[in-house]
């Protein structure tokens, strides 16, 4: 095996998943990264590739070469982040080793294709297309084909030739990366030419694509869950406090606690009542809650509550799961997103609902929140 090199963006999510699933995969670990002898130009030494700035994820203010002798790279891992730092090479840290996974593909070349597909989030068939297209662009035949495809249009011919000149010069870190960059460039500058080249190469463009399995989102489990019998009795007998009330919507008896809490504390609170942080079956359940007597003791115009959904570690930023039920998450895009820009923020992986009760015009919105957020709690059986 070789010491860890983080060449591609998806590997950060893999490492976070490892930290979630293992009690030892948290802390600071050596990587093969170094800028020894070439200050500021970091490379992954075990694979002899540059650290690409567009994909490297550094801690804030890193790398800083503190004291003028930080030439090696570590990665800090937790359940939510995987970030790089430059450190003194003589310091002591734990380490991670890696090797290509050949368990499902005993032929090494097939394993490379699988890895290439994972890197660029495409099917193996699409990976093969990019590799074949890469070979064609380096073939002089492509110039004749580009002229033929232009069909006597000087403007289209010029567009095709510019695309060939621009894209054929693309160079990645390896053959797979080069092929993907050429393919992406062609799709952006001359998509019809790319389509014609693929068809001419006699690739099987009608074959069904089989995408790689997505990385499933994880749920937070680091909270206590102990029933408090007196609180359970309060819920069963509709005894409300200053901060909480019960209400019924579409045959389900909910509990709403107005005090702002963290996600873990909200989950623990529901457990004390013998309940669970609410998972929502469908949009109709949200509208049913909004039409109920919810919030009668709440003076604010909006009620913004935690619900039990998470996208922690998911490969698709829109891929949420319910953590207290086996139901499919299907609220998006049916319910309007209050903060759509947050989908691109890695640490905003938890989910909440904003209700505007019937005292005004009924409105329901969804929102994304992070671990440090503090919100009221919605519990259900």
């Amino acid at each position: 095996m070789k010491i860890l090199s983080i060449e591609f963006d998806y590997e950060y999510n893999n490492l976070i998943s490892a930290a979630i699933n293992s009690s030892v995969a948290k802390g600071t670990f050596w990587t093969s990264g170094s800028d020894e002898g070439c200050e500021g130009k970091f490379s992954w030494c075990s694979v002899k590739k540059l650290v690409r700035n567009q994909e490297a994820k550094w801690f804030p203010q890193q790398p800083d070469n503190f004291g003028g002798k930080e030439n090696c790279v570590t990665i800090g891992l937790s359940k939510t982040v995987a970030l790089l730092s430059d450190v003194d090479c003589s310091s002591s840290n734990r380490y991670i080793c890696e090797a290509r996974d050949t368990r499902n593909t005993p032929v090494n070349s097939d394993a490379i294709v699988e890895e290439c597909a994972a890197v660029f989030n495409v099917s193996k068939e699409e990976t093969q297309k990019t590799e074949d297209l890469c070979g064609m662009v380096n073939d002089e035949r492509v110039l004749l084909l580009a002229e033929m495809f232009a069909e006597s249009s000087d403007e289209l011919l010029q567009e095709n030739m510019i695309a060939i000149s621009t894209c054929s010069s693309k160079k990645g870190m390896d053959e797979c990366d080069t092929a993907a960059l050429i393919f992406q460039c062609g799709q952006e500058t001359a998509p019809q030419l790319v389509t014609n080249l693929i068809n001419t190469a006699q690739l099987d463009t009608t074959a069904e694509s089989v995408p790689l399995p997505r990385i499933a989102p994880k749920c937070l489990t680091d909270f206590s869950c102990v029933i408090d019998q007196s609180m359970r009795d309060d819920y069963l007998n509709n005894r409300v406090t200053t901060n909480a009330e019960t209400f019924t919507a579409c045959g389900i008896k909910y509990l709403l606690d107005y005090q702002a809490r963290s996600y873990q504390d909200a989950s623990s609170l529901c457990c004390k009542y013998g309940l669970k942080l609410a998972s929502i079956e469908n949009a109709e359940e949200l509208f049913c809650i909004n039409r109920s007597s919810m919030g009668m003791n709440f003076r604010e115009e909006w009620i913004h509550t935690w619900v039990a959904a998470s996208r922690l570690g998911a490969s698709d930023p829109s891929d949420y799961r319910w953590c207290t039920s086996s139901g499919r998450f299907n609220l998006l895009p049916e319910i309007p997103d209050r903060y759509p820009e947050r989908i691109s923020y890695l640490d905003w992986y938890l989910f909440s609902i904003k209700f505007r009760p019937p005292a005004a015009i009924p409105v329901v919105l969804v929102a994304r929140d992070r671990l440090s957020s503090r919100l009221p709690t919605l519990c259900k059986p």
Side-chain angles (χ1 to χ4, degrees):
M1 305 182 77
K2 296 180 179 179
I3 194 167
L4 176 68
S5 296
I6 311 170
E7 304 160 54
F8 305 105
D9 182 72
Y10 81 100
E11 293 178 271
Y12 289 94
N13 287 334
N14 287 356
L15 290 165
I16 291 172
S17 296
I20 293 171
N21 295 321
S22 170
S23 60
V24 298
K26 304 178 186 69
T28 302
F29 301 84
W30 283 120
T31 73
S32 76
S34 174
D35 68 343
E36 186 73 49
C38 193
E39 185 60 37
K41 300 295 183 182
F42 287 91
S43 298
W44 300 118
C45 297
S46 64
V47 291
K48 296 179 174 60
K49 295 178 182 178
L50 291 175
V51 175
R52 298 205 298 189
N53 291 333
Q54 63 266 39
E55 291 183 349
K57 298 182 185 296
W58 296 92
F59 270 106
Q61 312 305 318
Q62 292 290 318
D64 62 355
N65 194 28
F66 182 76
K69 57 178 182 178
E70 292 188 334
N71 297 116
C72 291
V73 178
T74 59
I75 184 162
L77 285 182
S78 72
K79 291 184 177 182
T80 57
V81 297
L83 297 173
L84 306 174
S85 298
D86 63 337
V87 299
D88 188 335
C89 300
S90 64
S91 59
S92 296
N93 293 288
R94 290 185 289 166
Y95 55 92
I96 298 174
C97 299
E98 63 178 0
R100 177 167 289 124
D101 186 356
T102 58
R103 290 172 298 176
N104 300 321
T105 52
V107 179
N108 193 54
S109 59
D110 290 342
I112 294 174
V113 172
E114 293 248 339
E115 185 176 308
C116 191
V119 168
F120 299 101
N121 194 27
V122 297
S123 68
K124 287 190 290 184
E125 289 81 3
E126 287 292 333
T127 302
Q128 189 63 49
K129 285 183 183 181
T130 64
E131 291 174 337
D132 286 350
L133 182 62
C134 178
M136 281 201 66
V137 170
N138 293 322
D139 191 330
E140 292 184 3
R141 290 183 305 136
V142 76
L143 300 174
L144 297 175
L145 291 171
E147 186 175 358
M148 179 183 71
F149 296 148
E151 297 179 347
S152 302
S153 168
D154 292 339
E155 183 178 348
L156 184 56
L157 177 60
Q158 183 179 14
E159 177 184 309
N160 288 348
M161 293 303 177
I162 291 175
I164 292 169
S165 175
T166 301
C167 299
S168 62
S169 62
K170 296 290 183 182
K171 298 294 181 185
M173 294 188 296
D174 53 27
E175 293 82 358
C176 175
D177 194 21
T178 296
L181 291 175
I182 290 173
F183 187 78
Q184 181 182 21
C185 176
Q187 291 283 53
E188 293 173 352
T189 57
Q192 189 57 51
L193 174 62
V194 170
T195 299
N196 288 332
L197 289 174
I198 289 174
N199 291 336
T200 302
Q202 297 181 344
L203 297 176
D204 184 7
T205 56
T206 62
E208 181 181 357
S209 294
V210 182
L212 293 175
R214 290 181 176 179
I215 299 174
K218 306 293 182 181
C219 290
L220 298 182
T221 58
D222 55 340
F223 58 86
S224 63
C225 186
V226 180
I227 294 177
D228 183 312
Q229 194 55 52
S230 64
M231 295 176 69
R232 177 66 177 168
D233 291 341
D234 287 342
Y235 165 76
L236 293 174
N237 295 288
N238 299 318
R239 291 193 292 263
V240 298
T241 66
T242 303
N243 292 324
E245 66 177 358
T246 61
F247 64 93
T248 300
C250 294
I252 300 174
K253 184 179 177 181
Y254 299 85
L255 183 139
L256 175 62
D257 188 286
Y258 305 123
Q259 183 176 335
R261 288 180 168 84
S262 68
Y263 181 90
Q264 291 100 324
D265 288 346
S267 299
S268 293
L269 178 70
C270 292
C271 285
K272 290 180 179 180
Y273 284 104
L275 305 172
K276 297 179 290 187
L277 192 61
S279 291
I280 308 299
E281 297 300 320
N282 48 51
E284 181 54 38
E285 182 178 351
L286 288 180
F287 297 134
C288 192
I289 292 172
N290 205 40
R291 291 193 297 265
S292 72
S293 58
M294 175 194 66
M296 290 184 64
N297 300 332
F298 198 63
R299 297 181 179 179
E300 299 294 333
E301 183 180 7
W302 288 91
I303 299 176
H304 187 185
T305 75
W306 285 119
V307 291
S310 172
R311 63 179 174 113
L312 177 62
S315 55
D316 183 338
S318 62
D319 188 10
Y320 281 87
R321 64 173 288 189
W322 291 118
C323 296
T324 56
S325 83
S326 58
R328 186 172 66 89
F329 187 93
N330 58 4
L331 298 185
L332 298 171
E334 187 169 354
I335 306 298
D337 191 346
R338 177 65 178 86
Y339 306 106
E341 70 278 4
R342 289 181 180 174
I343 195 171
S344 62
Y345 302 161
L346 184 64
D347 58 333
W348 294 75
Y349 56 83
L350 297 171
F351 207 74
S352 60
I353 304 292
K354 294 196 73 173
F355 300 95
R356 191 177 185 185
I361 299 174
V363 177
V364 180
L365 303 171
V366 301
R368 293 168 176 84
D369 282 276
R370 54 186 172 182
L371 197 60
S372 60
S373 299
R374 298 178 65 82
L375 300 172
T377 306
L378 182 64
C379 308
K380 68 183 286 191

